[in-house]
Amino acid sequence: YGKLGNHSYTVAKNNGENHWYACEYCDEINEETLVKHSIAEWETVEDGRIAKCRCGFEIIVEKVATKDAEIYTMAEFNGETYKNELAFTPAVKENGKDVTTTVTVENEYIAVYENGVIRGIKAGETVVTVSYTLLGENVEKSFNVTVIRPAL
């Protein structure tokens, strides 16, 4: 390599913006292979999806659960235990960097969202919405939360 011989550009590499081939001996980048990431495929994963470049780099990771949920108004009643909280932490990344998400509850008399948890307050239905910006576009994803009062 270099003065000692030819480069062998066989090592695939990438970062948050590009992918390329580098020399297996000296790590020099082959400028002709330097290309910006582009979405080649979307893969569905639990609670979301991932957009990958052909080199395997995850351009977008979008894990925002949108399944309707049921929780109760209280954790214990008449000696019974009920699920009155739902852990909910949306995770969105673009080019390896976290994207700020905002979680809102339509009716906070029925349920509230605090510190990654949706908690039932009063029997009824409400909508939880997650908002964020991805690839320059505003995105909103919503799901219904039904809060149930335990039977007397």
Side-chain angles (χ1 to χ4, degrees):
Y1 60 91
K3 293 181 181 176
L4 302 176
N6 293 329
H7 290 286
S8 177
Y9 297 111
T10 58
V11 180
K13 295 200 168 195
N14 65 54
N15 62 16
E17 295 180 23
N18 303 299
H19 57 259
W20 63 89
Y21 281 95
C23 177
E24 68 178 301
Y25 304 112
C26 69
D27 210 32
E28 180 178 308
I29 296 172
N30 179 344
E31 296 292 334
E32 293 175 11
T33 65
L34 186 65
V35 179
K36 284 207 171 292
H37 293 298
S38 62
I39 297 172
E41 68 174 311
W42 283 94
E43 176 184 331
T44 300
V45 295
E46 184 178 351
D47 293 335
R49 62 190 186 148
I50 297 173
K52 291 184 179 182
C53 180
R54 65 181 172 87
C55 71
F57 181 78
E58 294 179 346
I59 299 169
I60 296 170
V61 176
E62 192 177 24
K63 292 190 176 180
V64 180
T66 56
K67 282 194 264 182
D68 292 349
E70 288 185 352
I71 53 178
Y72 287 85
T73 56
M74 56 190 70
E76 291 183 38
F77 183 70
N78 280 344
E80 298 289 326
T81 303
Y82 298 91
K83 180 180 176 182
N84 80 321
E85 294 184 339
L86 174 68
F88 183 70
T89 311
V92 180
K93 289 183 181 242
E94 183 176 335
N95 292 324
K97 295 179 182 152
D98 289 333
V99 171
T100 301
T101 58
T102 303
V103 178
T104 55
V105 178
E106 184 178 81
N107 187 336
E108 291 192 329
Y109 291 108
I110 293 176
V112 293
Y113 178 77
E114 297 174 320
N115 303 318
V117 174
I118 299 168
R119 186 169 40 86
I121 303 293
K122 179 181 173 187
E125 289 188 18
T126 190
V127 176
V128 174
T129 301
V130 182
S131 307
Y132 49 97
T133 301
L134 194 59
L135 298 174
E137 306 249 338
N138 293 331
V139 178
E140 282 191 353
K141 296 198 174 190
S142 300
F143 61 97
N144 297 314
V145 173
T146 301
V147 179
I148 303 164
R149 183 173 158 244
L152 295 175

